[in-house]
Amino acid sequence: MKILVVGAGAVGGYFGARLAQTGRDVTFLVRPARAAQLQRDGLQILSPHGNLTFKPQTITAQEIHETYDLVLLSVKSLAIDRAIADMKPAIGPETMIYPVLNGMRHLDTLSRVFGERAVLGGVCMVSTDIDEQGRIVQLHETQKLVYGERSGEITPRIKALDEAISNAGFDTELSPGIMQAMWQKWVFIATLGLVTCLLNGSIGEINTAPGGEATALQCLDECVAIADASGFPIPQPFLDQIKPYYTAKVSKLTSSMFRDMQRGASVEAEAILGDLLKHGQSHQLKTPLLQAGCVRMRVYQNSRSAS
């Protein structure tokens, strides 16, 4: 299977490198400057599962002259329009587009351009960042890709995808309920982003402050209520699994959105929090903490634009 990874950043770079390391046919779609840097320094990964440095196969948008079987789309939501324009020549009638972006609204964006059938559902579970030297650093041992047809069908093509990317040094799961899985991840990351950005600290710092834990759990309740109202109720076992992440007294855990804000970078606030708020409003739900978090991040984004 010919795989095109769109974006060689913290997520796409990590999973693409693992796939390439195990002999898959992987090409990275990157900008010319990034292509030159990767050929000079290599793609470097620091991971509890083993470090890796290699020179990947890269291509720029202008160099695409054939289509691919699978496109792993791993850019941030803020870059999706440009990514779509760059990857268009790589999409054929049988190409599967496997997006691992945060939130849900990218599914509609991609389907409008490429058609419903082309776009799979996907969940990525990994915590990675890029350090000052441009290396991809894995912050936690979890590393998993989940994928499936949005209809829930187990089709020949999704079986082929499963076979192509399984046993590549990370966990994989072919899911007949990928939309539910996407909602569950959305609730998890939205709550973490809301708690850490609104309260301006790590989970441990928040929970050692009076009222911190109660506020964190109220954030979770609001996000869960939106999922429930939208037809994707969050199962109790999943809630039992994620609650400790928000209530730990000794924890340095933060969200990627919080880390981006600390660096003064753009944040995915609208895709993660803003779109969730819209879903809640469509069901007439009152979610004051989520609304406050959205306003907080919009003020931040506006301040970046003004500076």
Side-chain angles (χ1 to χ4, degrees):
M1 184 172 285
K2 289 174 55 181
I3 302 171
L4 182 68
V5 177
V6 181
V11 174
Y14 183 81
F15 285 107
R18 292 300 186 200
L19 287 166
Q21 182 187 24
T22 51
R24 273 62 167 187
D25 183 356
V26 177
T27 302
F28 292 86
L29 175 58
V30 292
R31 304 277 170 213
R34 177 65 165 154
Q37 184 263 319
L38 288 172
Q39 290 308 307
R40 184 183 68 247
D41 303 328
L43 185 60
Q44 302 178 63
I45 293 175
L46 303 180
S47 165
H49 299 284
N51 297 341
L52 170 66
T53 299
F54 82 111
K55 291 187 177 179
Q57 183 171 302
T58 62
I59 196 169
T60 63
Q62 293 73 27
E63 296 170 333
I64 299 175
H65 300 299
E66 58 184 348
T67 60
Y68 289 77
D69 301 308
L70 175 66
V71 172
L72 176 60
L73 179 60
S74 61
V75 299
K76 290 199 172 184
S77 60
L78 297 164
I80 190 170
D81 291 336
R82 191 166 182 181
I84 286 172
D86 287 347
M87 68 192 241
K88 268 186 179 180
I91 309 300
E94 299 302 320
T95 301
M96 291 178 283
I97 301 172
Y98 173 25
V100 291
L101 284 73
N102 290 323
M104 302 286 283
R105 68 180 186 177
H106 61 276
L107 295 180
D108 291 335
T109 302
L110 291 166
S111 295
R112 282 195 298 270
V113 178
F114 300 109
E116 291 279 345
R117 182 179 179 275
V119 184
L120 304 173
V123 170
C124 166
M125 289 179 263
V126 73
S127 181
T128 50
D129 209 345
I130 296 181
D131 68 10
E132 294 178 353
Q133 299 176 50
R135 301 175 299 183
I136 298 170
V137 182
Q138 187 176 7
L139 306 174
H140 189 273
E141 290 189 359
T142 300
Q143 47 174 14
K144 185 175 183 179
L145 292 179
V146 188
Y147 37 84
E149 300 280 7
R150 289 187 285 161
S151 65
E153 296 176 84
I154 304 299
T155 59
R157 69 171 189 168
I158 203 69
K159 288 181 181 178
L161 185 154
D162 183 48
E163 184 177 344
I165 69 173
S166 295
N167 303 310
F170 52 84
D171 297 327
T172 57
E173 180 185 345
L174 170 53
S175 173
I178 192 64
M179 299 303 290
Q180 178 71 38
M182 291 181 70
W183 268 94
Q184 288 178 198
K185 183 191 176 183
W186 195 8
V187 165
F188 176 73
I189 64 169
T191 301
L192 184 60
L194 176 58
V195 171
T196 55
C197 292
L198 182 61
L199 301 178
N200 197 41
S202 68
I203 289 297
E205 291 169 331
I206 290 162
N207 283 300
T208 53
E213 180 177 320
T215 305
L217 290 176
Q218 187 179 337
C219 289
L220 175 61
D221 288 345
E222 290 185 6
C223 295
V224 167
I226 295 171
D228 291 351
S230 300
F232 295 91
I234 305 302
Q236 190 60 48
F238 182 76
L239 287 175
D240 293 340
Q241 177 187 346
I242 65 174
K243 274 186 180 179
Y245 284 97
Y246 312 122
T247 59
K249 295 291 192 296
V250 180
S251 173
K252 296 180 180 179
L253 180 64
T254 59
S255 64
S256 59
M257 191 158 55
F258 178 79
R259 295 192 297 272
D260 285 340
M261 185 173 65
Q262 293 293 98
R263 287 194 290 256
S266 293
V267 294
E268 293 187 287
E270 291 304 327
I272 297 174
L273 300 182
D275 195 39
L276 192 62
L277 180 63
K278 286 182 182 178
H279 278 271
Q281 291 170 337
S282 72
H283 295 286
Q284 290 79 51
L285 295 179
K286 299 296 184 183
T287 53
L289 291 179
L290 178 57
Q291 181 168 315
C294 286
V295 173
R296 162 80 176 96
M297 301 313 293
R298 286 163 181 163
V299 170
Y300 166 76
Q301 284 285 74
N302 290 343
S303 69
R304 286 191 75 255
S305 301
S307 60

